[in-house]
Amino acid sequence: MEKGIVIKSTGSWYTVRLPDQQIVLCGIRGKFRIKGIRATNPVAVGDHVGFEWSEDRTTGIITSIDERTNYIIRKSSKLSKEYQLVACNVDVAWLMVSMVLPRTLTPFIDRFLVSAEAYRIPVIILFNKTDLYDEHAMNEMNYLWAIYTSAGYHCMQMSLQTKKGIEEVRSKMKGKINVITGNSGVGKSTLINVLDPTIRLKIGEISDYHQAGKHTTTFSEMFELSSGINIIDTPGIRGFGMI
């Protein structure tokens, strides 16, 4: 049996990276469950799995999942009783927020922090698009900054346009499994492109009507950047269901 880490999940197929960097497309056999949670996807990005090769050794079948150190989940929909695994075995979760275009609401931040705390995942709150903040937006950021730092969370500010804060972010991500989450349009894929321009992820627009981001990342995927960073890009979400 071969071992590897899941770096991409598209529903029924999972991309697995082996220790020698070989990439294998795998399906699953049997049912995998998280105790007490009904998950729509049994395997997630970040999972360490065992698999068996197909007869022609072109694909694989996942037969086992190593015990997870932690995981991030969200509700599949507001009315659903099932959950979706977003990422597993995470060292740091980066919650990207913005005071403008789109504005991140505090209930969204709080729900994510509660979820991450429940599964023992350290969180860094990253305020993006600071180059666009007027005085009101800057005051709002400073107010939230004071609240969350007093609660023990590390906060950082960044501008992907001016490159402010990029090197500090890069330094804190190095050598870790990082997951980036936040509202659609907040800049998750752009950050990955800035950290490693060879990735070239598609970047979404902002809806003029709702001032909300349009989804461009439709599934979670882990990227191994040239600077020694493993980073999981997640689908943009406009709300985060309480666990």
Side-chain angles (χ1 to χ4, degrees), residues 57-144:
R57 293 185 67 85
T58 58
T59 59
I61 296 293
I62 294 173
T63 57
S64 65
I65 303 174
D66 291 357
E67 185 176 354
R68 296 164 172 134
T69 58
N70 55 41
Y71 47 83
I72 297 175
I73 61 176
R74 66 173 181 175
K75 279 189 175 182
S76 296
S77 66
K78 289 184 179 180
L79 300 178
S80 175
K81 293 183 179 180
E82 293 188 324
Y83 293 88
Q84 178 187 14
L85 278 168
V86 177
C88 299
N89 303 313
V90 173
D91 292 320
V92 179
W94 295 76
L95 178 58
M96 288 189 70
V97 302
S98 177
M99 300 296 96
V100 296
L101 297 172
R103 181 174 178 270
T104 305
L105 302 178
T106 51
F108 175 90
I109 299 174
D110 294 342
R111 287 191 179 98
F112 181 82
L113 294 178
V114 168
S115 299
E117 190 74 25
Y119 296 101
R120 304 179 302 279
I121 301 172
V123 177
I124 295 177
I125 302 173
L126 184 58
F127 290 88
N128 188 28
K129 304 187 180 184
T130 55
D131 58 299
L132 300 178
Y133 293 3
D134 58 15
E135 183 178 357
H136 175 75
M138 190 61 71
N139 288 338
E140 186 176 18
M141 183 195 74
N142 291 334
Y143 173 73
L144 294 178

Side-chain angles (χ1 to χ4, degrees), residues 28-241:
I28 59 173
R29 176 186 298 160
K31 296 182 178 180
F32 301 99
R33 292 286 181 265
I34 302 175
K35 186 177 180 181
I37 297 175
R38 295 169 57 186
T40 58
N41 55 322
V43 182
V45 172
D47 267 328
H48 296 274
V49 299
F51 72 92
E52 298 175 354
W53 286 100
S54 61
E55 290 187 6
D56 58 5
R57 293 185 67 85
T58 58
T59 59
I61 296 293
I62 294 173
T63 57
S64 65
I65 303 174
D66 291 357
E67 185 176 354
R68 296 164 172 134
T69 58
N70 55 41
Y71 47 83
I72 297 175
I73 61 176
R74 66 173 181 175
K75 279 189 175 182
S76 296
S77 66
K78 289 184 179 180
L79 300 178
S80 175
K81 293 183 179 180
E82 293 188 324
Y83 293 88
Q84 178 187 14
L85 278 168
V86 177
C88 299
N89 303 313
V90 173
D91 292 320
V92 179
W94 295 76
L95 178 58
M96 288 189 70
V97 302
S98 177
M99 300 296 96
V100 296
L101 297 172
R103 181 174 178 270
T104 305
L105 302 178
T106 51
F108 175 90
I109 299 174
D110 294 342
R111 287 191 179 98
F112 181 82
L113 294 178
V114 168
S115 299
E117 190 74 25
Y119 296 101
R120 304 179 302 279
I121 301 172
V123 177
I124 295 177
I125 302 173
L126 184 58
F127 290 88
N128 188 28
K129 304 187 180 184
T130 55
D131 58 299
L132 300 178
Y133 293 3
D134 58 15
E135 183 178 357
H136 175 75
M138 190 61 71
N139 288 338
E140 186 176 18
M141 183 195 74
N142 291 334
Y143 173 73
L144 294 178
W145 188 295
I147 289 176
Y148 291 119
T149 53
S150 66
Y153 292 101
H154 184 67
C155 295
M156 298 173 64
Q157 55 178 297
M158 177 183 72
S159 167
L160 292 171
Q161 291 299 315
T162 66
K163 304 300 188 292
K164 174 185 177 181
I166 294 297
E167 291 310 312
E168 186 180 357
V169 170
R170 189 194 307 274
S171 175
K172 287 192 174 294
M173 285 186 170
K174 198 166 186 177
K176 298 182 178 70
I177 301 293
N178 304 271
V179 62
I180 303 180
T181 191
N183 294 132
S184 301
V186 78
K188 301 182 299 296
S189 296
T190 305
L191 173 58
I192 295 176
N193 287 340
V194 170
L195 291 171
D196 189 341
T198 64
I199 300 296
R200 298 177 183 174
L201 294 180
K202 183 179 179 182
I203 299 170
E205 305 169 352
I206 300 295
S207 165
D208 290 333
Y209 182 76
H210 294 290
Q211 292 294 290
K214 299 178 181 179
H215 299 286
T216 50
T217 301
T218 56
F219 45 79
S220 296
E221 183 171 2
M222 182 188 296
F223 298 94
E224 187 174 27
L225 308 189
S226 57
S227 51
I229 295 170
N230 280 286
I231 190 165
I232 301 173
D233 189 19
T234 63
I237 44 183
R238 296 192 178 99
F240 207 94

